Amino acid sequence: MLALVDCNNFYVSCERVFNPSLEHVPVIVLSNNDGCAVARSNEAKELGIRMGAPFFQIRELCHRQGVRVFSSNYELYGDMSRRVTSVLRRFAPQLEVYSIDESFLDLEGIDEPTSLAQDLRETVYKWTGIPVSIGIASSKTLAKAANRLAKKDGTGCRQLLADQCDNALASIKIEDVWGVGRQLGRRLRQIRILTARDLAKASPSKIRRIGGVNLERTLRELNGLSCLGMEQRQPRQNICSSRSFGRPVMELHDMEEALSSYVMTAVQRMRGEGSLAHGIQVFLATNSFKENTPQYHNSISESLPEPTDDLLAITSAALRLLRRIYRNGYAYKKTGLLLLDLMSHSLRQTNLFTEDKTRNREALNHALDQVMDTHGRDSVFLASQGIRRGWQMRRDKRSQGWTTMWDEIPAAG
DNA sequence: TCTGGGGTCCTAGGACCC
DNA sequence: TCTGGGGTCCTAGGACCC
């Protein structure tokens, strides 16, 4: 048996922990640039606000209905996520952190999984303030389905045993099955597969032709056969950093500043994980939603001379690539980079001819790491990142760094 | 005015090899 | 007239996830 623990409306719940006035009222959290609704309280869902709804389309509704609106506060959500995970670990040492708000727990050998789950729910809520829902079943895909049902029937905890699956799966629409998205959902509907139950009963070979091995796995998982094991978090293979601009950008100079800042973000993340990049890819794009303006998007990748985590080397490579694909006369919406084919720093092969230079650079990079650790991410930056930064994203409605910033910690009394 | 960001995996097709 | 078969590796693109 395994369990999927999923935090309810996670970002909204995080906001509520530190701001009780948000209880029982509609609340949404927006994506970067205050673009789309990415988390909604139940009250907001009842108002008909869809996941991913562009904010400019629902602004009026929010105003009229008194919806409380927040920009994403990732420092807060990341910290709360770690707290929830640490509680889960006490209950089930074998745990896979699947996303910022979900974990799979291995419950093998537990006699009464549902009573453990109830206990777990109460403890997480008491210790972190975050409400969670739990689905229990013999495969990950079924646990996902059980979780969905637990949310729907309001119990917050649901075990799906083999003899209950048939009925339960019949109530789940095909595109709500984990692993079936928009495209596959449409194709399956065309051949009269409308529910999770229909998929479970379909012919595996036929399903494989439509959706490859993954969809066949989903089918078998729905029949209770576990095909997706518990996985340990693998080191990332790629790191991507990119942002949409707060306003359209016309100048190469602004693009360079922005990209340089994203390089900083990506390299810091990579260094934090102790990895080196073999290659780098840079991309840029205009706003594809604007139909009547000239469109241009392009990307370019390059192998680095040797695997590296050196900020200056990666920054200069990125800016060089950007200049190669940049074209004058477009209103750009976005640029970014990927660090490709990451490997562990410990596997690095030294190069006889560049070793001295590498050592000096490493000292510089290390010093940068330390300054940022001590004084914050923005305390030091490259001149190429610029100072005015007119391209920066909007984040007007952010809540405080309740748990992550000394000067924003809540005061009592 | 205004439409996110960061990932993974699989597959098809081309280049190349013997 | 007539042009194989089997393999690897790489990349781009598509699908999915939260």
Side-chain angles (χ1 to χ4, degrees), chain A residues 98-305:
Chain A
Y98 178 70
S99 74
I100 193 164
D101 69 336
E102 284 171 78
S103 290
F104 287 104
L105 273 50
D106 187 349
L107 300 185
E108 210 48 60
I110 305 272
D111 290 336
E112 292 191 36
T114 44
S115 69
L116 176 103
Q118 287 294 1
D119 190 10
L120 196 158
R121 286 187 71 217
E122 284 163 25
T123 310
V124 172
Y125 187 69
K126 200 186 299 176
W127 291 4
T128 69
I130 301 290
V132 299
S133 297
I134 303 179
I136 303 167
S138 58
S139 72
K140 284 183 168 178
T141 308
L142 281 178
K144 270 275 190 185
N147 193 289
R148 165 174 283 275
L149 297 172
K151 279 214 173 77
K152 205 154 62 175
D153 66 21
T155 57
C157 179
R158 176 82 179 259
Q159 180 171 15
L160 217 45
L161 295 167
D163 56 349
Q164 307 162 335
C165 282
D166 215 49
N167 270 333
L169 294 185
S171 71
I172 296 178
K173 287 188 299 202
I174 187 65
E175 45 286 288
D176 293 336
V177 173
W178 191 46
V180 178
R182 272 239 303 282
Q183 296 298 319
L184 284 173
R186 214 180 34 191
R187 295 197 55 194
L188 291 170
R189 281 196 173 272
Q190 283 168 0
I191 57 168
R192 306 299 299 158
I193 292 179
L194 309 179
T195 67
R197 181 175 178 274
D198 295 338
L199 180 57
K201 302 284 179 212
S203 135
S205 59
K206 186 169 162 191
I207 289 306
R208 189 185 187 121
R209 278 198 300 280
I210 292 173
V213 292
N214 287 326
L215 193 59
E216 184 184 348
R217 255 183 223 136
T218 299
L219 181 157
R220 296 189 187 281
E221 285 243 319
L222 285 175
N223 285 298
L225 185 69
S226 177
C227 306
L228 306 164
M230 298 286 289
E231 287 171 27
Q232 294 311 307
R233 178 53 55 97
Q234 299 298 318
R236 260 190 282 262
Q237 298 169 28
N238 303 305
I239 285 177
C240 174
S241 178
S242 88
R243 294 280 181 282
S244 296
F245 303 128
R247 57 170 176 76
V249 165
M250 306 291 293
E251 304 292 326
L252 175 61
H253 179 72
D254 284 335
M255 298 282 278
E256 289 175 341
E257 285 188 4
L259 184 63
S260 181
S261 295
Y262 307 152
V263 172
M264 175 69 100
T265 304
V267 168
Q268 282 310 112
R269 206 180 304 158
M270 175 169 73
R271 292 180 59 83
E273 297 188 2
S275 299
L276 305 174
H278 276 93
I280 155 175
Q281 180 175 68
V282 170
F283 55 88
L284 48 68
T286 51
N287 186 347
S288 59
F289 287 101
K290 292 209 179 230
E291 288 171 3
N292 298 322
T293 59
Q295 295 288 322
Y296 173 60
H297 54 95
N298 204 351
S299 73
I300 184 170
S301 49
E302 188 177 273
S303 293
L304 294 162

Side-chain angles (χ1 to χ4, degrees), chain A residues 334-354:
Chain A
K334 186 176 195 172
T335 184
L337 82 156
L338 287 105
L339 302 174
L340 305 169
D341 299 325
L342 305 186
M343 61 176 269
S344 165
H345 191 277
S346 60
L347 301 176
R348 188 172 77 95
Q349 304 225 343
T350 53
N351 181 321
L352 186 60
F353 303 104
T354 59

Side-chain angles (χ1 to χ4, degrees), chain A residues 301-372:
Chain A
S301 49
E302 188 177 273
S303 293
L304 294 162
E306 56 184 339
T308 183
D309 60 356
D310 175 27
L311 176 67
L312 299 186
I314 295 174
T315 301
S316 67
L319 293 178
R320 188 160 35 76
L321 292 179
L322 175 69
R323 287 176 207 123
R324 274 173 57 189
I325 54 174
Y326 177 86
R327 300 282 175 274
N328 254 322
Y330 291 97
Y332 291 96
K333 178 66 179 169
K334 186 176 195 172
T335 184
L337 82 156
L338 287 105
L339 302 174
L340 305 169
D341 299 325
L342 305 186
M343 61 176 269
S344 165
H345 191 277
S346 60
L347 301 176
R348 188 172 77 95
Q349 304 225 343
T350 53
N351 181 321
L352 186 60
F353 303 104
T354 59
E355 195 50 25
D356 280 348
K357 197 176 145 208
T358 308
R359 233 192 320 264
N360 288 337
R361 263 310 163 68
E362 179 50 34
L364 172 62
N365 279 300
H366 189 64
L368 287 177
D369 292 344
Q370 286 189 321
V371 172
M372 278 186 264

